[in-house]
Amino acid sequence: MSAAQPGDFPVLKTYPTRWADNDMYGHLNNAVYYQLFDSMINGWLAENAAADPTADAAVNVVAESGCRFFAEVGFPSDVQVGLRVERLGNSSVTYALGLFDDNGTHAAAGTWVHVYVNTETRRPTPIPEAIRKALDTLTTNDA
């Protein structure tokens, strides 16, 4: 697998690391990568698709997630998280994420799958049209 570049992602956001993010080995705890990925996706949805999990008739739930680590990152570095849509289905969306250190080194690759469910029945439901339209802007040519 070749290393991703920040330019491979239509959206990039910088996050500061915190002292509490480091584990006893002096680098970001694995769980922090997942927190960054979750914040990136749901923050982007809130800002760009007006997603509101407290009021929407359909919400996303995480069906699958994963992370591959390539390089260490730790406090006090800033990191950049990149986001794109790899696959946009009827009721699910698969995201690709990249985490880059403050030198632009590809430190981790994330995958994340959301399935949209009806808030009452908790059964899969089509992705709401406003959210689908926003997600289309993140879709790669091969998605």
Side-chain angles (χ1 to χ4, degrees):
M1 176 179 188
S2 61
Q5 302 296 317
D8 295 338
F9 299 89
V11 176
L12 284 171
K13 185 170 182 175
T14 301
Y15 292 90
T17 59
R18 305 166 305 167
W19 172 256
D21 292 339
N22 280 6
D23 60 19
M24 66 184 282
Y25 302 107
H27 58 251
L28 290 188
N29 186 289
N30 296 348
V32 173
Y33 290 81
Y34 288 91
Q35 292 171 349
L36 289 166
F37 294 158
D38 199 23
S39 293
M40 177 63 168
I41 294 167
N42 286 301
W44 187 89
L45 287 169
E47 292 171 9
N48 295 277
D52 181 358
T54 65
D56 293 345
V59 295
N60 63 53
V61 294
V62 178
E64 181 179 341
S65 64
C67 187
R68 294 182 65 194
F69 303 95
F70 306 119
E72 290 185 358
V73 176
F75 176 83
S77 299
D78 286 344
V79 295
Q80 277 193 313
V81 178
L83 176 66
R84 73 173 175 253
V85 168
E86 288 289 303
R87 182 185 171 281
L88 187 55
N90 181 50
S91 62
S92 67
V93 57
T94 303
Y95 299 96
L97 299 113
L99 188 136
F100 303 90
D101 70 12
D102 51 7
N103 295 315
T105 300
H106 190 208
T111 57
W112 206 269
V113 178
H114 274 160
V115 172
Y116 279 79
V117 298
N118 178 287
T119 56
E120 291 181 21
T121 66
R122 304 309 278 184
R123 299 294 307 152
T125 192
I127 297 169
E129 194 55 39
I131 294 174
R132 176 176 292 285
K133 185 175 179 181
L135 291 171
D136 275 336
T137 68
L138 297 180
T139 305
T140 59
N141 290 335
D142 57 345

